[in-house]
């Protein structure tokens, strides 16, 4: 009789152990699935909002493409024109820079874009300031002058024009 009770207790403990193990795996997996579904639904609805706003805002005379035909591969970024770039924001900018009308080495993101914190001072003086008040999806033109001691002989003291397209970075 005692052996039967011990056997029952062992079976009960084994069932509880298996249930705990299952829950330890299933609950986080379920949470991840729900999170992915929420992100997918959120990005789908923000994409719907941006398509109607893009046409209205992009009549400013700048040459902007609809996100569905963007050749830079940036279609995953929002072009919600109700957002305005402010100091401290992180944006993704895909740009090409030219000096005297010629693209210079290192002056392009080659379609990949790069994240930039506005106000960080990581770019040439005045570059980031010219992005403030722009909107996601805007094509921006920035004019800067390289410092005399920039370190690249062909660029030292030269005026440069940079044309790029802004998108909110993944962290925004």
């Amino acid at each position: 009789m005692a052996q039967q009770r011990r056997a029952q207790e062992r079976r009960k403990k084994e069932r509880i152990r298996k249930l705990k193990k299952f829950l330890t795996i299933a609950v986080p997996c379920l949470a991840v699935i729900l999170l992915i579904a929420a992100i997918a639904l959120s990005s789908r609805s923000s994409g719907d909002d941006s398509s109607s706003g893009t046409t209205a805002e992009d009549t400013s005379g700048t040459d902007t493409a609809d996100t569905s035909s963007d050749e830079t591969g940036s279609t995953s970024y929002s072009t919600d024109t109700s957002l305005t770039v402010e100091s401290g924001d992180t944006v993704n900018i895909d740009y090409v820079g030219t000096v005297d009308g010629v693209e210079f080495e290192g002056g392009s993101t080659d379609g990949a874009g790069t994240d930039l914190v506005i106000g960080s001072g990581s770019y040439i003086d005045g570059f980031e300031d010219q992005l403030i008040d722009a909107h996601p999806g805007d094509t921006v033109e920035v004019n800067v002058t390289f410092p005399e001691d920039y370190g690249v002989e062909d660029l030292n003291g030269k005026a440069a024009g940079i044309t790029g397209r802004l998108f909110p970075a993944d962290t925004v």
Side-chain angles (χ1 to χ4, degrees), residues 1-162:
M1 183 98 150
Q3 287 179 337
Q4 287 177 339
R5 270 187 277 148
R6 283 195 300 267
Q8 279 181 327
E9 282 295 315
R10 281 194 303 271
R11 284 192 297 269
K12 183 177 176 182
K13 284 182 180 180
E14 183 63 20
R15 280 192 306 259
I16 291 172
R17 187 189 67 77
K18 286 181 181 179
L19 180 62
K20 284 182 180 180
K21 185 176 180 179
F22 172 77
L23 291 175
T24 302
I25 295 170
V27 170
C29 289
L30 182 60
V32 169
I33 290 169
L34 290 174
L35 183 61
I36 291 171
I39 291 171
L41 289 174
S42 173
S43 66
R44 186 177 298 165
S45 67
S46 71
D48 293 343
D49 293 343
S50 68
S51 63
S52 63
T54 303
T55 353
E57 290 293 324
D58 286 346
T59 57
S60 62
T62 57
D63 183 23
T64 58
D66 185 42
T67 53
S68 60
S69 62
D70 191 309
E71 294 177 14
T72 64
S74 301
T75 55
S76 64
Y77 290 109
S78 168
T79 56
D80 181 357
T81 56
S82 68
L83 299 175
T84 302
V85 175
E86 298 173 359
S87 184
D89 287 349
T90 300
V91 297
N92 183 282
I93 182 168
D94 183 18
Y95 62 86
V96 175
T98 58
V99 170
D100 299 325
V102 178
E103 186 177 330
F104 57 90
E105 186 176 335
S108 172
T109 58
D110 296 321
T114 186
D115 287 351
L116 169 64
V117 177
I118 304 299
S120 66
S122 56
Y123 277 58
I124 296 173
D125 287 344
F127 182 94
E128 296 166 28
D129 295 336
Q130 294 178 56
L131 301 178
I132 293 175
D133 293 331
H135 303 281
D138 282 357
T139 296
V140 293
E141 292 185 30
V142 175
N143 295 303
V144 294
T145 301
F146 284 97
E148 289 293 334
D149 60 348
Y150 184 67
V152 178
E153 190 173 327
D154 293 339
L155 300 177
N156 289 341
K158 299 267 178 107
I162 293 122

